Amino acid sequence: MPGLKDNLEEYIDLQKERLILNVADKSSDIVSAVGVRLAYMICALFAVVFLSVSLAMGINYMANSQFLGFMIVAFIYALLSFLLFKNGEKWFGRIIASEMLVIFYKDEDNEKIQ
């Protein structure tokens, strides 16, 4: 008949195993979420690049210039970069934090908290 010490050791081992499985589960959720977001960002980047070139060429055509459209688009990106530099953490920090909390604090049935 196992004693209290044996039961306690078995309980501690099971808790360590459970913790490792939980960490592995959460880590895989984070990696998959980052992978999906990265794929979205790459597709969006290509769309933005092609739309930017099209916009610049359209402005060039309307202004009868070879460089004015590209300068206007570059100025728009410079302005956007400045705004992101100043407010990016405020704008995206909450979104990223809430996504991480959803992943870390989902219930035991593997469903996200709504």
Side-chain angles (χ1 to χ4, degrees):
M1 185 161 102
L4 179 61
K5 181 182 175 194
D6 293 334
N7 287 340
L8 186 58
E9 286 176 357
E10 184 179 350
Y11 175 76
I12 291 172
D13 289 339
L14 288 173
Q15 289 300 319
K16 281 196 286 188
E17 217 173 289
R18 181 176 177 251
L19 178 64
I20 290 169
L21 289 173
N22 283 339
V23 168
D25 182 45
K26 307 260 187 238
S27 299
S28 66
D29 288 347
I30 290 172
V31 169
S32 66
V34 167
V36 168
R37 299 302 189 285
L38 188 61
Y40 288 155
M41 287 173 33
I42 289 171
C43 290
L45 176 68
F46 278 116
V48 167
V49 166
F50 286 118
L51 288 172
S52 298
V53 170
S54 298
L55 176 65
M57 291 179 79
I59 294 172
N60 283 343
Y61 178 76
M62 288 189 297
N64 198 20
S65 172
Q66 291 187 5
F67 67 91
L68 185 62
F70 289 100
M71 288 184 62
I72 291 171
V73 170
F75 177 76
I76 291 169
Y77 279 121
L79 182 63
L80 182 63
S81 296
F82 177 76
L83 290 173
L84 283 173
F85 178 75
K86 289 294 184 184
N87 300 316
E89 189 175 322
K90 189 185 331 176
W91 291 343
F92 297 109
R94 292 183 186 134
I95 295 170
I96 293 169
S98 67
E99 286 291 322
M100 295 294 284
L101 287 174
V102 165
I103 290 172
F104 278 117
Y105 293 107
K106 63 182 181 178
D107 63 15
E108 296 299 319
D109 295 331
N110 287 334
E111 293 186 23
K112 292 183 179 180
I113 297 172
Q114 297 297 327

